[in-house]
Amino acid sequence: MATQRITALITGASSGIGAVYADRLAARNYDLVLVARRADRLQALSGALEKRYGVSVTTLVADLSKTDGIARVEDALRQNSAIELLINNAGAANLAPFLASDADSHDALNTLNTTALMRLTLAVLPRFVEQNRGTIINIASVLAFHARAGSAVYSATKAWVLNFTRGLQEELAESAVRIQAVLPAATATEIWGHSGVTLDSLPAGSVMTTENLVDAALADLDQGELVTIPPVEDLTLWQRWEEARLALFNASRNGTPASRYPLA
């Protein structure tokens, strides 16, 4: 009996981080389902990957800020049992004051960055759990733990992605299903052209290439890391942050107002 080839589905695959993941996974002999809004770019990338690596590449045009686009990808995840890796990479940023955009714009950003990721995860995770294998990679951001003027909505969505991922990691800790959160800092992708902030305005030397980001994230995945922050050299920073977070949480569990609050 022929062994079924493993397939990865990558959202936001037509450029940037998603396109590099596609290249690296094709080099690892994964077949691919590439999802994005731009059909021409998907076709060009799929043809190049098939020619270079000899893998099978399927394209799926879908706008994940729209309900019908999300549903199209959900169907693909449910119907294709060869998919054992989901990369929730599609996302957008609007780095501008909250009042500079309307409710529809904020809602579209939130849908793309959080709702689509949640629904696609829900579409594939039951099969992963039943088979006790499969991997999900969720692309968050270092702005998951740092909000600043102009990033209120974006930072909130990425904090959601990080906490959603970590909650699932706890739920599935005893299984062989792997879920990784990747937290890029400034990375040279097209997202900057649409975000309201240009790469040229960022400090010199602070921007990572997409190739380095993906290679580091995949290396961490191979090593079993659950949360990956590729630019951070000193891992004790993360460990201290975790310790402080847990200490703050545990300190809140005493049922008594702190002494700084006067009681009636």
Side-chain angles (χ1 to χ4, degrees), residues 7 29 31-32 56 62 83 94 108 162 208 215:
T7 298
N29 207 35
D31 288 338
L32 302 171
S56 173
I83 295 172
N94 181 16
L162 177 59
M208 182 175 289
D215 288 341

Side-chain angles (χ1 to χ4, degrees), residues 184-199:
T187 308
T189 72
E190 291 182 3
I191 195 171
W192 295 100
H194 309 288
S195 70
V197 176
T198 65
L199 283 172

Side-chain angles (χ1 to χ4, degrees), residues 40-159:
D40 55 340
R41 289 201 177 189
L42 285 177
Q43 290 298 329
L45 178 60
S46 66
L49 294 175
E50 287 181 331
K51 181 177 181 180
R52 186 179 306 140
Y53 298 111
V55 298
S56 173
V57 183
T58 302
T59 62
L60 177 55
V61 177
D63 183 347
L64 294 179
S65 69
K66 309 290 186 183
T67 300
D68 59 344
I70 297 171
R72 199 171 303 127
V73 184
E74 286 176 315
D75 288 342
L77 288 166
R78 294 189 180 110
Q79 294 171 10
N80 187 346
S81 62
I83 295 172
E84 295 194 14
L85 170 58
L86 166 64
I87 301 180
N88 283 310
N89 166 69
N94 181 16
L95 301 179
F98 180 68
L99 296 180
S101 295
D102 60 22
D104 288 342
S105 297
H106 290 315
D107 191 53
L109 179 66
N110 186 64
T111 298
L112 175 60
N113 288 5
T114 66
T115 303
L117 185 148
M118 178 272 293
R119 285 182 51 175
L120 299 190
T121 299
L122 186 60
V124 78
L125 192 56
R127 177 166 56 80
F128 284 4
V129 170
E130 181 180 2
Q131 297 172 169
N132 198 32
R133 69 176 184 273
T135 301
I136 298 172
I137 299 172
N138 292 330
I139 307 300
S141 167
V142 294
L143 287 180
F145 45 76
H146 179 60
R148 56 189 303 173
S151 79
V153 175
Y154 180 74
S155 291
T157 65
K158 292 306 182 177

